[in-house]
Amino acid sequence: MARYTCSFIVSITIDDLHPLLVDLLQECDLEIQYYTTDYIMAREIPGNVSFSKLVKAEVLIDKSTATETETRMSIVIKNEELPLQVDNHCRQMFEFIKQTIEESRHWHLIESLAG
């Protein structure tokens, strides 16, 4: 199973972050499967790649450390594909979603840490 993670600190309130993240994931051609105030799960829309390559994205919003000006969140991008190549579909989607978050005009990125 391929799995990639990244943590972000962005300058936005937690209340404003949640709906913007839902929109951002949908703009990345992911459909929202489940969400709460501190968790969002989305999946790649079937049709373009084989079932094992379909990407799932999980976003965890850290409510315990959120302030009026900063919110910490983590993303996990994964699929059932074995990461036999460095540039696999899951990695490509991870880089695309990570870049979309980093370059979003809705907040100022304070920190990004890929793991």
Side-chain angles (χ1 to χ4, degrees):
M1 174 192 281
R3 179 183 178 102
Y4 302 95
T5 62
C6 191
S7 296
F8 304 94
I9 299 175
V10 291
S11 64
I12 191 170
T13 65
I14 195 166
D15 295 331
D16 294 335
L17 177 64
H18 191 269
L20 293 172
L21 275 175
V22 169
D23 289 343
L24 183 136
L25 291 170
Q26 290 172 335
E27 289 172 9
C28 291
D29 291 330
L30 300 171
E31 61 182 351
I32 306 303
Q33 299 288 300
Y34 179 80
Y35 65 91
T36 62
T37 56
D38 60 350
Y39 177 80
I40 303 169
M41 184 175 72
R43 151 187 106 147
E44 192 173 7
I45 299 170
N48 295 329
V49 294
S50 66
F51 185 75
S52 65
K53 291 184 178 184
L54 287 176
V55 168
K56 289 184 182 175
E58 296 181 358
V59 180
L60 302 125
I61 303 167
D62 190 355
K63 290 170 46 173
S64 65
T65 61
T67 66
E68 289 293 319
T69 59
E70 292 182 3
T71 305
R72 182 181 305 261
M73 65 177 165
S74 300
I75 61 167
V76 178
I77 308 297
K78 59 187 177 180
N79 68 4
E80 298 299 320
E81 175 185 24
L82 291 174
L84 300 175
Q85 298 173 335
V86 175
D87 190 30
N88 58 62
H89 178 69
C90 190
R91 178 67 176 207
Q92 292 169 357
M93 286 297 293
F94 168 75
E95 292 296 337
F96 175 65
I97 295 168
K98 179 177 172 280
Q99 181 179 5
T100 303
I101 291 171
E102 290 174 345
E103 295 175 356
S104 176
R105 62 179 174 83
H106 297 292
W107 53 69
H108 174 72
L109 179 69
I110 296 171
E111 183 178 302
S112 174
L113 179 64

